[in-house]
Structures are given as C-alpha cells and as structure tokens.
Amino acid sequence: MSDARGANPLRDPADRRLPRIAGPSGLVIFGVTGDLSRKKLMPAVYDLANRGLLPPGFSLIGFARREWEHEDFAQEVYEAVKQHSRTPFREEVWQQLVQGCRFVQGTFDDDEAFETLKETINELDKAQGTGGNFAFYLSVPPKFFPKVVQQLKKHGLADQKEGSWRRAVIEKPFGHNLQSAQELNRIVHEVFPTNEVFRIDHYLGKETVQNILALRFANTMFEPLWNRSYVDHVQITMAEDIGIGGRAGYYDGIGAARDVIQNHLLQLLALTAMEEPSSFGADALVAEKTKVLGAVKIPKDLGKETVRGQYAAGWQGGEKAVGYLEEDGIDPKSKTDTYAAIKLQIDNRRWAGVPFYLRTGKRLGRRVTEIAVVFQRAPHSPFDHTATEELGQNALVIRVQPDEGVTVRFGSKVPGTSMEVRDVSMDFAYGESFTESSPEAYERLILDVLLGDANLFPRLEEVEQSWRILDPIEVYWEKHGKPAQYPAGTWGPTEADEMLARDGRSWRRP
Ligand code: BG6
C-alpha cells in the first residue's frame, strides 16, 4: 500500500487539504450476507483502502449464520469488491485487506458466538494492531437491533476502555414509529454513549446532498430568493424504477413512507429549508435541522394532503413487471405502500404558505432524485400574453442523482423577429466541472464513523421529529382502506396528480 500522504495514485494530487485518514481500527458487520453489505459496505471498505484512507492493519469481521470459514468470507468480500467497488482493483491493496478479514458464525442469541467475536477482536488487536478500536455495523432488520446491542454489552464488547473506542452504527429506519424509536434509543444508550452512536442515513453521505448547504450558504445569489416572497413551492422527488427485489422480508409492512420519507426525504427537506447553521459542526447542523423539522405542520386533511400507492403489473423498460402483490414473499393482501406523496407546510416566517410536496415510489418511470425549488411567476409582464404563453415558472433543480448537478430554468427570448419567451436551462454537471471523483455515500460515512466525525449522521432529535410528522399519516393510512394502484413504469397513482391539481400545480416529469 502506498504512503498515506500522497503517493497513492488514486489520491488527487491537487487535493491540498489534509487527508482524513482513519487511525488503527476495524469494522464488524452484522448481517454480512445481506444485500447492503455485499453491494455497498464491503466495496466501500475496499475503496477506502484503495484510496489510502484506511490504516494498514484495518480489519473487517463478518458475523452471520452462514457456515463459513474465514476463507469463504474473504472470497465473498473479494467477489463483492470485484463486482461493486468503484475504484480499480489492485492486487496489493486486496492482499493487505484480506490479512484482516475474519468471520464469526452464529445467531444473535448465541452467547458462544459473541465470545468468539470477542476473541477474534483480541486476536486482531495483536496481529493487526487495531488498538481495540472497533465499530459494530448493524446491517440487520430493525427488530434485531436491541438484541445485538444487548449481546455486545453482555459480552463486554461495548466497553469503552481508556485510549480506545467502541462505536455502534445503526442502519435506518431507526424504529417503526416515534415510540419505538425512543425505546430503541434508550436500549442503545444503555450500552453506548451518545457520541459513539452513528445512525446511518446514506443520503447525507451523498456529495449532491452535502452540496445543498454549499449552494445555499457559500453563495450570494440564491439565498435572498429562498423564501416565501419568491418561492411558489418545492417538490422533492425520489423515484426508483426498481421493485422491491429480494427485500420482501424487510419491505412488507414498512413501506415507502417509513423506508425513505421518514429519513432521506425529510432530511432533504430539512437541508433545503433550514436556516444557516453557525458552523458546519454536528451540533450546529443538528440544531438547525431539528428546528425546521419541528416547524413542519402535520397536514390537517390527511385524506387530501397525502396519497399512498402500490404498484400493479405493468411495463418497464420494455419488460413486463409483476405487481407488488405478486412479488415473492409478499402477503397477497398486503396494504404496504410502495408509493407515497405528502404535502407539508412549514410554520415559520421564511416558509409560511409555501407547500413542500414530497413523493417517492418504486417501479416509477425512471430512477431520479431531485429537489425542485419552483419560483413564483413575475409579478408583472411587459410582454403581451402570447409572448409568454410557453413560459413556465423559474426553477432551481438540485439533481441529486443520477446525472448529478444543478439546473436553473428561466425564460429567454426565442431568436426571431417577434418577441416570444420560452424556457431554457443553465446546467452545472459534476462530471464537467470537477475532475475529482465523488466517494460513494457509504465510503464517506464509514470513514466518518472510523474518524468519530458525526456531522453527517442524524441525531435522535431529528429522528424523533421525523416520526412526529409521519406517525399520524401512517395511523390514518392504516385506518383508511387500501393504497391506490398504479401500473409499474408509470409516475404513480392519479390521486397524487389530483393532489397537486387541487392546488393548481402539477408534478414535474423529470
Ligand atoms: C434505501 C432504501 O435506504 O435507499 C431502499 O431502503 C432504496 O428501498 C435505497 O432502494 C435507494 O438508495 P439510492 O442511494 O440508490 O437512492
């Protein structure tokens, strides 16, 4: 492995900032045979190693039920890396990483397995120099969180010893509602101190999401318009073309609103709507995000201001897609939402009267996540009506993914001898403006966990506010019939279009 201070060929030589490199440490992944671990976590660990951001003795322990030897696990990591990592494969990096790969076989009830885990950690401390610093990543269904942290406590794995750390990394959703989130929090904090708990919302690890704050607060030209005097409404869309894949066990009963609105979309709303924080430190960020989430009003007419849907069979990308109820492992009577749209208002001076429309869904027209800030029409036009017939509203669109960047839409004169104004757009695209490559969200977040940097992790206060907003909606849905059906490959149920039409607006077709 190359020198950590710049000899690594993957490190951008123009990067003059101090490199953030993790100190001696290791990561234990619970649920290591799952999708998330294979597609994101293991490749992220390799990519970090490849970029020279992990210490030479970094260790990775997998914990799962599978009857694997260390070598089988190493082979699994190798395949995940080959298939999903973002940086080129380099044999020397792999050879170093594999030195620290271990597997512990067991269930979460199995005391012996946790004892083996303890011995494995001790062995790695000696052999790899991990210094007792371990993060425990709970990539397991939420119902197992309490059991795993209790086992860590029982076996002394969570003890914070002088000069070393033990951290818990918990995947979303944190709880199932407000009450269960608070209960889970109580259990976790009986075991880990507040500053050693990292709740993952991988959207916060995305470059484009972090850029919301740069766009708003490092510039002059946007913020003066960022309020009720100029903004007509905001649309936050997270659309996916995929169905639930092999995740029936996790998804059924959770649904789109709990899976992504409670976390990703409300975080996007918070970053878009919050006031300027006094610094980019975790405390200041959390304070502002919590404040704005606390100002979100619960919709009064839940029947008119929320819509939930479920995909039916349809055509997507030229292929027939089965409906949600026909997916493997789904209860054929399931009322789980695979689409959710919610209209929210923020009760403060900046945003009073400006609706924030949030929507998400699986099996929609295409994969796209964006935040569109749509501005009011000009208060007066000197052009005659026909000149501006084709002019839409000005908009600033933060393209979170794919095709990451920012678009500004405004009117321009159509070339010719008459005055006609039509929409045009001005684009910033990451690929064209920067030569630096973006780390994958999980790379950034795992590195931050190892460094103990909490800026990009939601705290309990934010999680609680998000459940406060979502709980009444879920309760209402539970009591009121079934989700509206929409054919796979379309943009969701017609009820969602009607929700905006009642306000004289329509969804963007990104
Ligand atoms: C996860 C959800 O948090 O985000 C998934 O549980 C969803 O259902 C995924 O598919 C989408 O992530 P991304 O980064 O591809 O937008």
Side-chain angles (χ1 to χ4, degrees), residues 36 40 171-173 201-203 206 238-240 242-244 247 250-251 255-256 258-260 263-264 362 367-369 400-401 440-442:
L36 180 73
K40 300 286 185 186
E171 258 300 331
K172 51 139 277 269
D201 180 326
H202 79 278
Y203 264 58
K206 291 182 191 274
M238 177 191 163
E240 295 185 280
I242 51 169
I244 51 146
R247 296 168 76 219
Y250 158 77
Y251 198 86
R258 286 195 180 96
D259 184 38
V260 301
N263 35 81
H264 308 329
K362 299 227 181 255
R367 173 175 183 254
V368 61
T369 300
V400 174
Q401 65 187 31
E440 216 277 329
Y442 279 97

Side-chain angles (χ1 to χ4, degrees), residues 35-60:
D35 238 30
L36 180 73
S37 172
R38 203 172 47 251
K39 291 195 181 140
K40 300 286 185 186
L41 307 182
M42 300 195 280
V45 166
Y46 170 82
D47 286 328
L48 285 171
N50 208 6
R51 293 182 203 272
L53 302 177
L54 295 183
F58 183 81
S59 297
L60 179 65

Side-chain angles (χ1 to χ4, degrees), residues 217-503:
F217 301 125
N219 298 302
T220 359
M221 57 199 266
F222 305 116
E223 203 54 20
L225 308 181
W226 215 260
N227 58 57
R228 67 188 303 274
S229 304
Y230 295 95
V231 176
D232 177 70
H233 71 280
V234 177
Q235 293 189 17
I236 303 182
T237 299
M238 177 191 163
E240 295 185 280
D241 51 2
I242 51 169
I244 51 146
R247 296 168 76 219
Y250 158 77
Y251 198 86
D252 204 34
I254 288 202
R258 286 195 180 96
D259 184 38
V260 301
I261 292 190
Q262 188 273 340
N263 35 81
H264 308 329
L265 266 59
L266 284 173
Q267 284 290 329
L268 294 182
L269 175 143
L271 293 169
T272 306
M274 69 189 229
E275 296 302 318
E276 182 178 285
S278 56
S279 76
F280 195 60
D283 290 345
L285 279 170
V286 169
E288 292 305 338
K289 283 196 283 170
T290 308
K291 195 166 86 190
V292 76
L293 288 171
V296 171
K297 279 197 285 191
I298 296 174
K300 278 208 185 76
D301 189 344
L302 290 164
K304 291 220 170 83
E305 291 168 318
T306 72
V307 173
R308 67 177 167 152
Q310 194 180 68
Y311 61 83
W315 288 90
Q316 197 150 38
E319 288 188 15
K320 184 118 184 80
V322 297
Y324 180 72
L325 298 179
E326 287 97 57
E327 296 272 17
D328 280 348
I330 298 297
D331 171 2
K333 295 210 185 80
S334 172
K335 294 204 290 181
T336 298
D337 47 306
T338 63
Y339 176 99
I342 300 177
K343 172 182 170 183
L344 294 172
Q345 301 270 357
I346 300 176
D347 237 353
N348 65 19
R349 186 168 281 247
R350 189 194 274 260
W351 294 116
V354 178
F356 281 67
Y357 300 103
L358 275 51
R359 67 173 160 165
T360 184
K362 299 227 181 255
R363 286 259 179 254
L364 296 184
R366 74 182 189 94
R367 173 175 183 254
V368 61
T369 300
E370 62 164 43
I371 301 163
V373 178
V374 181
F375 293 93
Q376 296 168 13
R377 289 187 184 278
H380 165 258
S381 166
F383 309 107
D384 72 35
H385 174 65
T386 52
T388 54
E389 247 173 4
E390 287 188 50
L391 180 65
Q393 283 167 272
N394 294 169
L396 184 143
V397 183
I398 299 171
R399 302 193 313 268
V400 174
Q401 65 187 31
D403 184 24
E404 291 82 357
V406 178
T407 300
V408 179
R409 186 181 69 188
F410 56 98
S412 185
K413 180 182 174 307
V414 181
T417 51
S418 61
M419 177 51 89
E420 195 191 331
V421 185
R422 214 185 277 161
D423 285 328
V424 294
S425 54
M426 221 153 59
D427 270 352
F428 145 59
Y430 275 78
E432 284 167 22
S433 301
F434 295 116
T435 50
E436 295 88 342
S437 68
S438 312
E440 216 277 329
Y442 279 97
E443 266 183 72
R444 171 69 201 262
L445 296 178
I446 291 173
L447 180 65
D448 283 3
V449 167
L450 301 174
L451 289 166
D453 182 343
N455 289 13
L456 301 179
F457 297 84
R459 279 214 200 131
L460 181 68
E461 301 91 294
E462 298 162 66
V463 173
E464 285 182 335
Q465 283 300 341
S466 302
W467 284 124
R468 176 192 67 82
I469 299 163
L470 202 61
D471 276 358
I473 298 173
E474 291 284 356
V475 169
Y476 176 87
W477 285 348
E478 190 67 40
K479 285 199 195 134
H480 290 83
K482 290 184 176 161
Q485 300 281 302
Y486 61 97
T490 65
W491 280 94
T494 49
E495 284 81 347
D497 296 329
E498 288 159 15
M499 178 170 102
L500 263 70
R502 278 195 289 275
D503 294 347

